């Protein structure tokens, strides 16, 4: 939970800085960006879960 709060805090600070300097936000469009991030995370987890199973089958 500490990591989540830290990440949220840093993201908030970066968002405030970018808005203050009138720079484009360093993220993809809202819903598409969130969906992409979730997809990347799930893909990473699937490989971590399925990878060892495949390695065992190959041995």
């Amino acid at each position: 939970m500490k990591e989540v709060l830290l990440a949220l805090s840093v993201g908030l600070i970066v968002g405030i800085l970018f808005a203050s300097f009138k720079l484009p936000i360093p993220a993809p469009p809202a819903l598409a960006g969130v969906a992409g991030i979730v997809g990347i995370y799930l893909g990473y987890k699937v490989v971590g879960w399925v990878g060892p199973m495949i390695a065992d089958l190959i041995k």
Side-chain angles (χ1 to χ4, degrees), residues 3-54:
E3 292 173 344
V4 173
L5 292 175
L6 184 60
L8 184 61
S9 300
V10 170
L12 183 64
I13 291 168
V14 169
I16 289 170
L17 288 173
F18 271 71
S20 298
F21 290 108
K22 297 190 182 353
L23 297 170
I25 190 166
L31 185 57
V34 172
I37 291 168
V38 170
I40 291 168
Y41 177 78
L42 290 176
Y44 183 84
K45 289 297 184 179
V46 165
V47 169
W49 179 64
V50 174
M53 288 184 209
I54 294 173

